[in-house]
Amino acid sequence: MDLIAWLAGAAESVERWQAEYPPFEPHQSLLIDDERFAAAFAEFADRMRGNYPYFHPYYAGQMLKPPHPVAVAAYVAAMLVNPNNHALDGGKVTSQMEKEVVADLAAMFGFGTHLGHLTSSGTIANLEALYVARELHPGLGVAYSADAHYTHPRMCRLLGVEGTAVGADAAGRMDLGALDELLAGGSIGTVVATAGTTGLGAIDPVHEVLAIARRRGVRVHVDAAYGGFFTLLAGAEGRCGLDPLPWRAIADCDSVVVDPHKHGLQPYGCGAVLFADPGVGRFYAHDSPYTYFTSDELHLGEISLECSRAGAAAAALWLTFRLLPPEPGGLGKVLAACRRAALDWADLLATSDRLHLYQPPELDIVSYFPATAGTSLAAIDAASAKMLDEGMRDTEYPVFVSTLTVEADSFTWRHPGVVANRDRARILRSVLMKPESEHHVAALHARLEKLAELAESG
Ligand SMILES: Cc1ncc(COP(=O)(O)O)c(C=O)c1O
């Protein structure tokens, strides 16, 4: 795809539409001459060069990558119109697109009925799910795994709901025995299961969480902000296939969050929350004297806590789904490549003298630590930090990874030979969320082995 040509095409399509209306002169106050613009743009472009190269396969750090060119072209074309999906008054076309992509997401998770919308982030999407949780079970708390995203305890505080962390097991999944014990106390109204934890990509056993919760009349919300699209690999043949049980169980849960701005190829500003019971729309009921007047149909602001939201985000996802639908043969192929990359790297780590696998990857997050550093947490922590730093600073062959701080207990549980001479330690973590990674894993591995060797030599 020639992105530059498509960007021009996007702008031209909007100009053609605008030309259907009577012409007018732009206001003098908005005019910028080209020379001044060129100078300011050059400064801007220079500042932007300071970014880490998220687009490149040598960037194997956080959950970051550029959006797909299809999403960019649609986003630009829609942004030039600048619809607001709060109400049909502001986002007539893109609100309809949003309803269609939300229905696609609901179908991907197997929801029979649904009520949902896009949000500006996974954080806001989870906030909405926990808000509905509070309204349905006033006075009762929310439980989540100790490895769940930090947003859950934070949002519980914000909502005035008691949040309780349930311990994670040696694979980073919610401890079911501890959950059962907690729910027996009767103080919990909703459990959050994470399908793909942010740190390690672990999948809480949603099916078992659901069974335990339902026995006690407790609701289940699934935070699949990062992992949600991996449901496309559930039960797939071959080494990329995932155990279908946790993924299929999402269909019977009460709500789910997924972030198209993570694995859905979208630019930032695109999360989603879906509820199985459309009746929860009542908790959003409000009146607005300034909006909701152009149509009696559902305005998305009527079922959302946010007011203004970019219609462009819905447009970008809509066009992306037209070409790479959320199906095994569409977006699923992208996810499969990411997963293959993680499995290939795990194989290399398993036989390396210089690096050790922290735990086998369940999705596309690989966790590892320098073996050369010695066997104490302090040495591993220092060497990990050094490798992160040295990797980024190399001008010839830079490599970008991230660190993950793990508790001493979690570490020694997985690696009993390590001396716990501090409470926590940084290990290395790579999210291989670009499908191209599968062709660069061997080179990345070799580079990190070299960095581990350098870290050892001081
Ligand atoms: C599991 C999980 N939940 C929630 C979030 C927060 O999402 P956002 O960064 O879109 O606000 C993240 C972000 O990484 C996540 O991985």
Side-chain angles (χ1 to χ4, degrees):
M1 259 191 78
D2 181 349
L3 177 62
I4 293 179
W6 279 107
L7 284 178
E12 279 160 18
S13 76
V14 177
E15 281 187 2
R16 273 197 300 279
W17 168 70
Q18 289 174 339
E20 293 167 19
Y21 291 83
F24 65 96
E25 285 298 316
H27 194 270
Q28 282 293 326
S29 62
L30 297 173
L31 299 183
I32 304 283
D33 80 51
D34 275 343
E35 209 174 309
R36 277 185 62 223
F37 178 71
F41 194 84
E43 186 190 346
F44 163 76
D46 199 46
R47 293 278 291 267
M48 291 298 286
R49 290 173 57 80
N51 277 304
Y52 296 118
Y54 310 121
F55 70 96
H56 200 278
Y58 295 168
Y59 181 89
Q62 307 276 25
M63 290 169 191
L64 290 157
K65 64 174 177 180
H68 194 283
V70 164
V72 176
Y75 199 100
V76 167
M79 185 183 58
L80 289 169
V81 178
N82 210 17
N84 181 341
N85 276 11
H86 169 245
L88 291 164
D89 326 349
K92 192 176 167 208
V93 175
T94 48
S95 291
Q96 185 51 37
M97 288 177 173
E98 178 164 335
K99 289 175 190 173
E100 291 172 29
V101 292
V102 165
D104 289 341
L105 292 173
M108 177 177 85
F109 288 117
F111 272 27
T113 54
H114 74 273
L115 183 87
H117 58 88
L118 299 181
T119 60
S120 56
S121 67
T123 298
I124 298 297
N126 276 302
L127 169 67
E128 295 208 11
L130 296 187
Y131 160 70
V132 167
R134 184 191 73 180
E135 297 304 293
L136 280 166
H137 284 310
L140 293 180
V142 169
Y144 37 77
S145 139
D147 277 10
H149 195 273
Y150 67 76
T151 195
H152 296 289
R154 240 177 147 202
M155 292 304 153
C156 281
R157 271 201 302 281
L158 182 77
L159 291 165
V161 169
E162 189 167 357
T164 305
V166 179
D169 66 14
R173 302 175 188 151
M174 185 183 272
D175 179 331
L176 296 174
L179 176 69
D180 200 23
E181 217 171 284
L182 176 67
L183 298 196
S187 63
I188 301 294
T190 298
V191 182
V192 178
T194 304
T197 57
T198 315
L200 295 166
I203 302 159
D204 284 344
V206 181
H207 51 302
E208 291 174 271
V209 169
L210 187 67
I212 293 171
R214 289 296 189 242
R215 274 205 301 276
R216 312 248 182 224
V218 168
R219 301 175 68 256
V220 179
H221 165 61
V222 181
D223 180 2
Y226 148 66
F229 286 103
F230 280 98
T231 192
L232 299 173
L233 304 183
E237 303 251 307
R239 57 203 278 267
C240 291
L242 300 174
D243 175 2
L245 292 176
W247 300 101
R248 302 266 149 82
I250 295 177
D252 297 317
C253 293
D254 298 289
S255 53
V256 60
V257 157
V258 61
D259 270 359
H261 69 200
K262 292 190 171 63
H263 261 301
L265 308 173
Q266 299 307 297
Y268 282 110
C270 195
V273 61
L274 307 171
F275 297 94
D277 173 13
V280 302
R282 67 187 181 279
F283 299 121
Y284 289 91
H286 64 284
D287 200 9
S288 165
Y290 0 85
T291 41
Y292 310 146
F293 50 76
T294 53
S295 167
D296 291 336
E297 280 181 40
L298 177 74
H299 299 259
L300 290 162
E302 292 180 285
I303 54 154
S304 160
L305 291 184
E306 290 178 272
C307 183
S308 295
R309 274 189 309 104
L317 188 58
W318 186 88
L319 193 60
T320 307
F321 279 0
R322 294 286 285 194
L323 295 154
L324 290 164
E327 292 162 10
L331 201 50
K333 287 187 179 170
V334 180
L335 279 289
C338 299
R339 173 110 181 93
R340 275 196 301 273
L343 292 174
D344 288 349
W345 199 352
D347 286 349
L348 293 171
L349 288 162
T351 55
S352 171
D353 293 334
R354 300 195 195 290
L355 297 167
H356 284 327
L357 189 60
Y358 180 69
Q359 73 167 43
E362 288 196 58
L363 297 175
D364 62 356
I365 298 180
V366 184
S367 51
Y368 49 102
F369 60 93
T372 43
T375 50
S376 83
L377 283 189
I380 289 167
D381 178 83
S384 298
K386 190 153 186 225
M387 287 173 65
L388 173 88
D389 205 42
E390 292 293 324
M392 288 194 292
R393 279 198 297 146
D394 191 316
T395 46
E396 234 174 81
Y397 191 156
V399 60
F400 303 84
V401 295
S402 64
T403 55
L404 172 69
T405 302
V406 295
E407 302 295 321
D409 286 356
S410 305
F411 203 120
T412 52
W413 210 345
R414 292 162 172 91
H415 302 277
V418 167
V419 180
N421 54 354
R422 46 181 291 168
D423 293 347
R424 11 176 51 200
R426 280 166 292 180
I427 60 166
L428 296 166
R429 163 179 172 271
S430 287
V431 186
L432 301 178
M433 68 181 332
K434 292 185 288 283
E436 293 83 6
S437 295
E438 72 169 325
H439 304 304
H440 296 270
V441 153
L444 274 171
H445 178 71
R447 183 72 188 112
L448 279 148
E449 281 199 321
K450 195 84 199 148
L451 287 168
E453 193 184 332
L454 289 174
E456 182 195 23
S457 61

